[in-house]
């Protein structure tokens, strides 16, 4: 009995060793991220630091079933933040540990899936390790607001693993279905899983008749359809986005090729939605990628066994394409941009395909002897390079200011990142930096953009150029820039950054100093009119007080300034105006 027990223990350790080594290696490589703080902006306040609905209560548990967060319905992800908040408060360490846990869990589940498809243990281990340390994974692990990526993927691949292990047992399939629903509640990206499950059935059954798959697809699609409709509404239709068919077709062609290449070669890494472009080099890359894809497909059809082509290669390509459905340019995500973190799930299917090729080469002795040694050396060099790039990219996330500057140093940065850089330059009163930001907005315009998009670039360029002139003391030039903006903006499109208010107030102050009553009244009335459909705060009451003074309504002016003083007690201009008005009313 002792020998039997020892044999079983040795077998269990041997089976668990790859997973344990995988967990240790991933934790070690990403451990520097555990000491990083929250980001001052960029979704971390929305998700955690300024979120008033993280305290554990029945009210907050119900809240996330009826509310979105940054345009996404993901109650399970918000519950995970609530757990962090309960145990750690606002200590970022606890949040980072959970992010890293789910990344490790995802890798282990992917390894388990590879083994279910009879991939060699150490080959599967090597490929999953490469996937896990690939620099494209950094955003999902290090950015606390991207908990949804690692949580969704962990449940996604756990569902596939349980489905594969439970093919002959109903209980296993039920558990896989539950995990799929949880993955949907973590992030709608999991909507591709029903199609992947059907493709697994196609690979397993080797039968082309649809009746074998229709029932499975319908059952798994029921929750997915609801999430797809909700996501489409939240991210596209509810925002009145412009949709141009030819433009989006070009975006899809670009993004499929970019995600395919970047899954293996981490290039042009950029934290925040870099905008796509169609320069000559990019067009050549797209043509080469699609040429290689189509050429490889034709070659496979002609020379591979028909069973292998139909039941292995085609399902694999279909699984990769369908997993990219939510990110390649149909919904708001991937609309005219891309993100490294979106490749978290789709890249797994490409690495699985490479794994299958290597497995076949090893099994048929095509890769043997010196070729095995060369393959091992190539793996080690490639892995070392990925780790080096990973660590350097991870350091970009040490604070928000550094992250913004790194983002804007990349080609075609997202406008949101350029705005943040401009706001930093305004704080530092850096005119040269502001002219550079304005130039970035103009350079970021593309011919295929809509006229509204191009005008938006010109508006933001004028804003930061106006501030540059303002700090140089050239107020006339600054006003020229702000007046270009004024008829083209409203509080609904630019209120989040306070840009509308900032521009209108500056124009009001300038013309007031010039004693231009007509223009002063025009901009004052425009500012106050904007409060008809938004919350009235300090600025509303302060400028309402100024308008009342201009109309010689001193009692009304006193009431407005009192409310402004209540909302912002230390404001000197409010106190000065209030004192003057109360003094005059006292004399009266």
């Amino acid at each position: 009995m002792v020998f039997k027990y020892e044999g079983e223990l040795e077998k269990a350790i041997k089976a668990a060793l790859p997973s344990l080594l995988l967990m240790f290696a991933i934790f070690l490589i990403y451990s520097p991220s555990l000491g990083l703080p929250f980001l001052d902006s960029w979704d971390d306040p929305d998700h955690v630091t300024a979120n008033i609905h993280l305290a554990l209560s029945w009210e907050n548990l119900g809240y996330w079933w009826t509310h979105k967060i940054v345009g996404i319905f993901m109650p399970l992800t918000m519950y995970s933040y609530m757990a962090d908040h309960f145990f750690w408060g606002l200590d970022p360490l606890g949040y980072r540990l959970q992010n890293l846990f789910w990344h490790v869990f995802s890798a282990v589940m992917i390894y388990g899936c590879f083994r279910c498809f009879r991939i060699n243990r150490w080959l599967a281990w090597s490929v999953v390790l490469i996937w896990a340390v690939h620099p494209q994974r950094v955003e999902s692990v290090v950015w606390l607001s991207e908990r949804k990526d690692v949580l969704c993927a962990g449940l996604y691949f756990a569902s596939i693993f349980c489905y594969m292990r439970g093919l002959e047992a109903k209980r296993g399939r039920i558990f896989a279905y539950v995990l799929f629903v949880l993955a949907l509640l973590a992030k709608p990206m999991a909507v591709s899983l029903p199609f992947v499950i059907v493709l697994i059935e196609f690979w397993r059954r080797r039968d082309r008749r649809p009746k074998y798959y229709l029932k499975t697809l319908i059952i798994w699609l029921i929750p997915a359809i609801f999430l797809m409709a909700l996501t489409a509404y939240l991210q596209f239709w509810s925002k009145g986005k412009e949709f141009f068919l030819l433009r989006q077709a070009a975006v899809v062609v670009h993004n499929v090729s970019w995600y395919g290449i970047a899954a293996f070669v981490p290039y042009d890494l950029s934290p925040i939605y870099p905008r796509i472009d169609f320069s000559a080099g990019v067009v050549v890359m797209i043509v080469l990628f699609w040429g290689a894809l189509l050429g490889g497909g034709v070659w496979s059809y002609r020379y591979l066994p028909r069973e292998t082509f139909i039941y292995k290669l085609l399902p694999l390509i279909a699984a990769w394409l369908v997993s990219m459905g939510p990110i390649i340019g149909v919904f708001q995500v991937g609309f005219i941009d891309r993100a490294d973190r979106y490749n978290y799930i789709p890249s797994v299917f490409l690495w699985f395909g490479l794994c299958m090729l290597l497995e076949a080469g090893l099994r048929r002795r095509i890769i043997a002897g010196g070729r095995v040694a060369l393959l091992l050396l190539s793996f080690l060099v490639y892995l070392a390079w990925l780790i080096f790039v990973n660590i350097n990219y991870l350091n970009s996330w040490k604070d928000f200011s550094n992250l913004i500057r790194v983002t804007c140093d990349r080609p075609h940065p997202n406008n949101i990142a350029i705005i943040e850089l401009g706001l930093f330059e305004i704080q530092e009163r850096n005119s040269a930096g502001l002219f550079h930001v304005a130039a970035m907005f103009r350079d970021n315009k593309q011919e295929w953009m809509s006229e509204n998009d191009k005008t938006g670039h010109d508006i933001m360029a004028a804003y930061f150029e106006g501030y540059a002139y303002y700090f140089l003391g050239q107020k006339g030039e600054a006003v020229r820039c702000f007046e270009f903006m004024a008829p083209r903006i409203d509080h609904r499109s630019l209120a989040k950054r306070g840009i509308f208010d900032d521009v209108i107030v500056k124009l009001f102050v300038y013309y007031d100093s010039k004693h231009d009553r007509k223009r002063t009244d025009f901009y004052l009335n425009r500012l106050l009119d904007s409060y008809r459909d938004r919350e009235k705060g300090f600025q509303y009451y302060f400028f309402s007080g100024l308008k009342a003074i201009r109309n010689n309504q001193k009692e009304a002016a006193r009431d407005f300034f009192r409310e402004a003083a209540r909302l912002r007690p230390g404001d000197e201009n409010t106190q000065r105006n209030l004192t003057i008005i109360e003094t005059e009313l006292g004399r009266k």
Side-chain angles (χ1 to χ4, degrees):
M1 293 297 293
V2 173
F3 291 110
K4 182 179 179 181
Y5 172 76
E6 289 179 349
E8 291 176 351
L9 179 61
E10 182 180 351
K11 185 178 179 181
I13 292 174
K14 184 179 179 181
L17 183 61
S19 295
L20 293 174
L21 289 175
L22 192 63
M23 294 165 65
F24 175 76
I26 297 171
F27 183 86
L28 182 65
I29 291 167
Y30 285 95
S31 59
S33 70
L34 298 178
L36 298 179
F38 291 109
L39 294 180
D40 297 331
S41 184
W42 233 314
D43 293 352
D44 276 10
D46 292 327
H47 285 83
V48 180
T49 53
N51 193 329
I52 62 173
H53 296 286
L54 288 189
L56 192 59
S57 68
W58 289 112
E59 180 182 356
N60 285 340
L61 287 170
Y63 178 86
W64 294 115
W65 287 94
T66 56
H67 291 79
K68 62 183 179 180
I69 180 81
V70 294
I72 303 175
F73 178 74
M74 49 181 190
L76 187 64
T77 298
M78 299 315 300
Y79 285 174
S80 73
Y81 289 124
M82 290 175 71
D84 288 335
H85 188 269
F86 179 79
F87 289 107
W88 296 87
L90 290 179
D91 183 348
L93 175 61
Y95 297 81
R96 296 197 173 279
L97 282 171
Q98 189 177 167
N99 265 36
L100 185 50
F101 165 80
W102 285 112
H103 182 53
V104 171
F105 179 77
S106 297
V108 172
M109 287 297 100
I110 293 168
Y111 170 78
C113 291
F114 282 20
R115 293 291 292 142
C116 286
F117 284 92
R118 303 183 184 90
I119 301 294
N120 175 275
R121 175 179 294 136
W122 292 108
L123 176 59
W125 182 89
S126 302
V127 169
V128 173
L129 178 61
I130 286 176
W131 172 87
V133 303
H134 192 292
Q136 280 198 319
R137 308 291 89 79
V138 169
E139 286 184 35
S140 299
V141 179
V142 176
W143 192 1
L144 293 178
S145 295
E146 288 307 313
R147 167 80 53 80
K148 51 187 174 286
D149 284 350
V150 290
L151 178 55
C152 173
L155 297 168
Y156 187 102
F157 290 107
S159 178
I160 295 176
F161 176 73
C162 291
Y163 189 86
M164 291 294 296
R165 293 293 294 268
L167 281 173
E168 307 303 326
K170 186 176 181 181
R171 182 180 300 177
R173 294 197 299 272
I174 292 174
F175 190 43
Y177 189 84
V178 171
L179 288 170
F180 161 59
V181 174
L182 292 175
L184 282 174
L185 297 176
K187 186 181 180 182
M189 181 80 176
V191 295
S192 63
L193 188 52
F195 302 97
V196 174
I197 293 296
V198 169
L199 291 168
I200 290 173
E201 283 295 312
F202 184 72
W203 164 82
R204 186 175 74 93
R205 290 179 179 272
R206 303 288 204 274
D207 195 312
R208 302 183 209 178
R209 289 175 290 181
K211 67 179 183 179
Y212 289 110
Y213 316 109
L214 195 56
K215 181 180 177 181
T216 299
L217 182 61
I218 291 174
I219 293 173
W220 282 71
L221 269 180
I222 291 172
I225 289 173
F226 170 76
L227 261 296
M228 283 191 287
L230 180 61
T231 301
Y233 174 76
L234 292 176
Q235 297 193 345
F236 182 75
W237 302 114
S238 68
K239 299 187 177 184
K241 290 285 185 177
E242 294 179 294
F243 188 91
F244 300 100
L245 185 60
L246 290 178
R247 180 187 71 178
Q248 291 315 119
V251 169
V252 169
V253 170
H254 172 281
N255 283 355
V256 170
S257 58
W258 185 85
Y259 284 117
I261 295 171
F264 301 103
V265 183
Y267 76 100
D268 197 17
L269 294 165
S270 185
I272 313 297
Y273 302 114
R275 293 299 175 96
I276 69 173
D277 74 296
F278 289 95
S279 61
V282 172
V283 171
V284 170
M285 178 199 74
I286 294 172
V287 171
L288 290 176
F289 173 84
W290 284 99
L293 189 64
L294 294 174
V298 171
W299 182 92
S300 301
Y301 179 78
R302 293 186 62 181
Y303 296 106
L304 286 181
R306 194 53 51 90
E307 291 282 309
T308 301
F309 178 79
I310 293 176
Y311 296 113
K312 288 187 177 180
L313 183 61
L314 287 184
L316 179 61
I317 294 175
W320 172 57
L321 291 174
V322 79
S323 70
M324 289 194 295
I327 63 170
I328 54 177
V330 178
F331 299 112
Q332 183 187 0
V333 291
F335 210 66
I336 51 173
D337 46 32
R338 51 182 168 77
D340 291 293
R341 61 185 177 278
Y342 291 161
N343 220 9
Y344 198 95
I345 290 175
S347 61
V348 173
F349 295 103
L350 292 178
W351 283 107
F352 176 68
L354 180 62
C355 229
M356 288 180 63
L357 289 175
L358 294 174
E359 173 76 13
L362 291 168
R363 192 185 307 115
R364 298 177 184 179
R365 308 290 295 174
I366 299 173
I367 303 175
R371 292 177 180 176
V372 173
L374 181 61
L375 178 64
L376 180 60
L377 178 62
S378 300
F379 162 74
L380 292 174
V381 172
Y382 182 54
L383 179 64
W385 176 58
L386 289 180
I387 293 174
F388 173 77
V389 177
N390 179 302
I391 292 172
N392 277 278
Y393 187 42
L394 190 151
N395 288 332
S396 303
W397 295 79
K398 61 185 180 182
D399 61 59
F400 186 56
S401 174
N402 184 70
L403 184 65
I404 293 300
R405 297 184 187 281
V406 168
T407 302
C408 291
D409 283 341
R410 300 292 194 269
H412 303 287
N414 191 287
N415 291 345
I416 303 172
I418 305 176
I419 290 174
E420 293 288 357
L421 178 62
L423 295 178
F424 280 129
E425 302 294 10
I426 288 174
Q427 291 176 3
E428 296 175 6
R429 304 178 71 86
N430 182 0
S431 294
L434 286 165
F435 281 124
H436 176 64
V437 168
M440 289 175 70
F441 269 107
R442 294 195 174 99
D443 292 343
N444 235 14
K445 287 196 297 184
Q446 302 287 329
E447 286 302 319
W448 49 268
M449 288 180 175
S450 69
E451 290 303 316
N452 283 344
D453 286 340
K454 292 178 182 179
T455 300
H457 284 70
D458 291 333
I459 288 171
M460 295 313 304
Y463 179 68
F464 292 111
E465 200 169 66
Y467 254 106
Y469 285 122
Y470 184 80
F471 291 141
L472 290 173
Q474 301 177 26
K475 293 188 178 180
E477 288 297 314
V479 167
R480 179 185 60 81
C481 293
F482 294 145
E483 286 197 320
F484 167 80
M485 295 177 64
R488 296 171 173 84
I489 60 175
D490 60 45
H491 67 281
R492 289 180 293 275
S493 60
L494 295 170
K496 185 175 182 182
R497 301 291 178 192
I499 291 175
F500 170 82
D501 291 354
D502 191 16
V503 167
I504 300 302
V505 168
K506 276 188 166 44
L507 290 171
F508 164 79
V509 171
Y510 175 79
Y511 285 114
D512 186 51
S513 69
K514 298 294 184 181
H515 307 291
D516 188 331
R517 175 86 187 208
K518 182 179 179 180
R519 291 190 180 183
T520 302
D521 287 346
F522 173 78
Y523 287 113
L524 180 59
N525 289 331
R526 181 147 186 228
L527 178 66
L528 294 177
D529 287 345
S530 72
Y531 281 96
R532 290 176 180 175
D533 56 354
R534 60 173 169 158
E535 185 179 353
K536 295 176 175 60
F538 164 80
Q539 194 159 259
Y540 169 79
Y541 291 103
F542 178 81
F543 284 99
S544 292
L546 292 183
K547 183 176 181 179
I549 289 176
R550 296 171 72 82
N551 293 332
N552 201 31
Q553 299 171 345
K554 295 183 179 179
E555 290 84 357
R558 177 193 59 196
D559 294 339
F560 282 126
F561 284 127
R562 282 178 176 176
E563 184 61 21
R566 185 187 67 81
L567 293 172
R568 193 178 294 179
D571 186 75
E572 294 181 1
N573 287 329
T574 304
Q575 292 296 337
R576 182 171 60 254
N577 282 301
L578 182 59
T579 300
I580 292 172
I581 291 295
E582 288 181 335
T583 300
E584 291 181 358
L585 288 174
R587 290 173 182 169
K588 184 178 178 180

